[in-house]
């Protein structure tokens, strides 16, 4: 019985597929179900014309906003020059090229008095030999300054591999360079390294190209400058030091002779230094979903270096910036949870009213 019903349904489906009028009626029905009426559908023609006029004003507003962001970029470039002497001094202290004065080292923290009390208590309870006190370590500069930041920030530690760490110990500074006034909008990250046994480069660069203009097809989506492409640089690795590839061995057997030989070849492997070899964006070729995600993540990392890491490096080194980021996320989460609880209470009240 059930088989007869299924067979009958199949025949009806075949008849519909072979009847153009039935197909058209079915399509109209589906359109009416999926189409959600908008405000514009219910407006008189004269009002629709006026709304279209407002849309044209909105497009002009988007173009003014784009001009505003271009001038913001110029301001960023201007103030970057004012920040740079401070960042240069930071590099000198981190690398040990300069020893800060006692006055420059004075810093009062909220926990300073507690820390001093703890130190006095320890000194009173434990007598250290004078020889050990004299041999107290005094390393040069601030060791592993940038590597510590990489380890601490989730976005960067996700890219960091164990074989990257010895190389990043040689990282001395990261700079942000903004494009000039007559150049297309962009910014470049410069990673400055001391001479090392891994590669010949002293500076590795990553340039991010930006666009700050509404799209003709969808001007209302404009929300400010966006990164549209990026370019890395070629790393001149010393022989056997390239951490972006690994060597594997494969055995091959000759079909006719049966001779077995071992072949070695290099294949890509995970490394932070793949950051300098990004996916190429071509206007002719569409990226697959994985490539789009990888590129979007790359853009996010570049923006994070520019806006957070470079300007506030010492706070990411100490962890204070991480605490700020976490507290901000917690506040957002708490607000969301409160909204959910309010919704649940409203639902409960409605149920109570309906029962009453």
């Amino acid at each position: 019985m059930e088989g007869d019903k299924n067979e009958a349904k199949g025949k009806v489906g075949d008849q519909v597929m072979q009847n153009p009028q039935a197909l058209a009626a079915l399509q109209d029905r589906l359109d009416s179900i999926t189409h959600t009426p908008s405000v514009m559908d219910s407006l008189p023609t004269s009002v629709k014309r006026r709304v279209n006029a407002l849309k044209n004003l909105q497009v002009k507003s988007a173009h003014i906003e784009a001009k505003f962001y271009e001038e913001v970029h110029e301001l960023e470039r201007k103030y970057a020059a004012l920040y740079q002497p401070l960042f240069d001094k930071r590099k000198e202290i981190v690398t040990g090229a300069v020893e800060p004065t006692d006055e420059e080292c004075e810093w009062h923290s909220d926990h300073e008095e507690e820390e001093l009390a703890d130190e006095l208590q320890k000194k009173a309870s434990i007598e250290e030999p004078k020889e050990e006190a004299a041999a107290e370590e005094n390393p040069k500069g601030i060791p592993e300054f940038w590597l510590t930041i990489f380890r601490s920030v989730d976005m960067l530690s996700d890219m960091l591999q164990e074989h990257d760490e010895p190389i990043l110990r040689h990282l001395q500074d990261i700079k942000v360079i903004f494009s000039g006034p007559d150049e297309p909008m962009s910014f470049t990250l410069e990673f400055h390294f001391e001479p090392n046994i891994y590669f010949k480069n002293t500076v590795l660069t990553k340039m991010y190209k930006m666009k700050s203009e509404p799209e003709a097809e969808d001007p209302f989506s404009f929300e400010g400058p966006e990164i549209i492409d990026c370019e890395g640089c070629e790393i001149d690795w010393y022989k056997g030091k390239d951490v972006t590839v690994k060597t594997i061995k494969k055995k091959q057997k000759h079909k006719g002779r049966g001779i077995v030989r071992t072949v070695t070849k290099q294949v890509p492997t995970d490394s932070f230094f793949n950051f300098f070899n990004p996916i190429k964006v071509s206007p002719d070729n569409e990226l697959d979903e994985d490539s789009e995600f990888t590129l979007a993540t790359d853009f996010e990392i570049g923006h994070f270096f520019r806006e957070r890491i470079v300007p506030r490096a010492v706070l990411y080194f100490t962890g204070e910036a991480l605490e700020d980021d976490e507290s901000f996320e917690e506040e957002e989460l708490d607000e969301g949870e409160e909204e959910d609880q309010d919704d649940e209470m409203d639902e409960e009240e409605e149920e109570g009213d309906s029962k009453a």
Side-chain angles (χ1 to χ4, degrees), residues 49 77 88 110 137 140 149 242 245 261 308 355:
R49 290 180 68 255
R77 192 174 61 83
D88 290 341
D110 295 337
E137 288 187 11
K140 185 180 178 182
I149 294 171
D242 187 350
V245 295
R261 65 174 183 175
R308 306 284 291 176
K355 288 178 181 178

Side-chain angles (χ1 to χ4, degrees), residues 142-159:
I142 304 176
E144 301 187 1
F145 179 79
W146 292 103
L147 177 56
T148 301
I149 294 171
F150 272 69
R151 287 171 177 159
S152 303
V153 178
D154 290 342
M155 191 182 294
L156 304 182
S157 65
D158 288 345
M159 299 190 295

Side-chain angles (χ1 to χ4, degrees), residues 284-335:
D284 302 328
N285 300 327
E286 288 188 8
L287 298 174
D288 58 38
E289 191 174 338
D290 289 342
S291 298
E292 284 185 356
F293 177 78
T294 301
L295 201 60
T297 303
D298 190 315
F299 293 171
E300 186 180 358
I301 292 167
H303 184 75
F304 196 77
F305 268 116
R306 166 188 161 172
E307 295 293 326
R308 306 284 291 176
I309 299 293
V310 174
R312 310 178 73 209
V314 66
L315 301 181
Y316 281 97
F317 176 80
T318 62
E320 292 165 85
L322 297 171
E323 291 171 6
D324 290 343
D325 292 345
E326 286 171 5
S327 61
F328 179 73
E329 288 172 5
E330 284 173 6
E331 285 174 11
E332 284 189 335
L333 184 63
D334 290 343
E335 287 175 7

Side-chain angles (χ1 to χ4, degrees), residues 156-260:
L156 304 182
S157 65
D158 288 345
M159 299 190 295
L160 191 63
Q161 305 298 318
E162 189 176 346
H163 50 247
D164 295 326
E165 295 195 7
I167 308 175
L168 289 171
R169 288 191 177 98
H170 298 283
L171 179 60
Q172 295 184 313
D173 197 20
I174 305 176
K175 293 182 178 180
V176 180
I177 309 298
F178 292 94
S179 55
D182 299 322
E183 299 173 344
M185 187 182 291
S186 69
F187 67 91
T188 301
L189 299 175
E190 292 184 350
F191 294 74
H192 291 251
F193 289 83
E194 65 181 351
N196 59 78
I197 62 171
Y198 300 97
F199 46 72
K200 298 177 183 178
N201 315 60
T202 55
V203 181
L204 301 181
T205 61
K206 183 77 169 283
M207 182 177 74
Y208 288 89
K209 300 177 183 178
M210 304 178 72
K211 184 182 73 171
S212 181
E213 59 184 32
E215 294 182 4
E217 299 82 9
D218 187 16
F220 303 133
S221 65
F222 180 72
E223 295 181 348
E226 60 177 334
I227 298 172
I228 55 171
D229 195 6
C230 58
E231 290 181 6
C233 68
E234 184 176 348
I235 302 177
D236 192 4
W237 297 97
Y238 287 114
K239 186 177 179 180
K241 297 296 184 179
D242 187 350
V243 295
T244 65
V245 295
K246 63 180 178 181
T247 302
I248 61 171
K249 293 182 179 180
K250 280 191 173 182
K251 290 185 177 181
Q252 294 181 342
K253 187 175 182 180
H254 194 279
K255 291 181 180 179
R257 299 176 183 176
I259 299 172
V260 177

Side-chain angles (χ1 to χ4, degrees), residues 268-279:
T269 189
D270 292 337
S271 168
F272 163 73
F273 290 91
N274 290 322
F275 179 70
F276 300 98
N277 184 27
I279 295 172

Side-chain angles (χ1 to χ4, degrees), residues 32-57:
S32 66
I33 293 171
T34 56
H35 176 66
T36 305
S38 68
V39 173
M40 290 291 285
D41 293 335
S42 61
L43 296 177
T45 303
S46 58
V47 177
K48 287 181 181 178
R49 290 180 68 255
R50 294 167 197 143
V51 172
N52 289 336
L54 295 184
K55 284 186 175 181
N56 286 323
L57 291 176

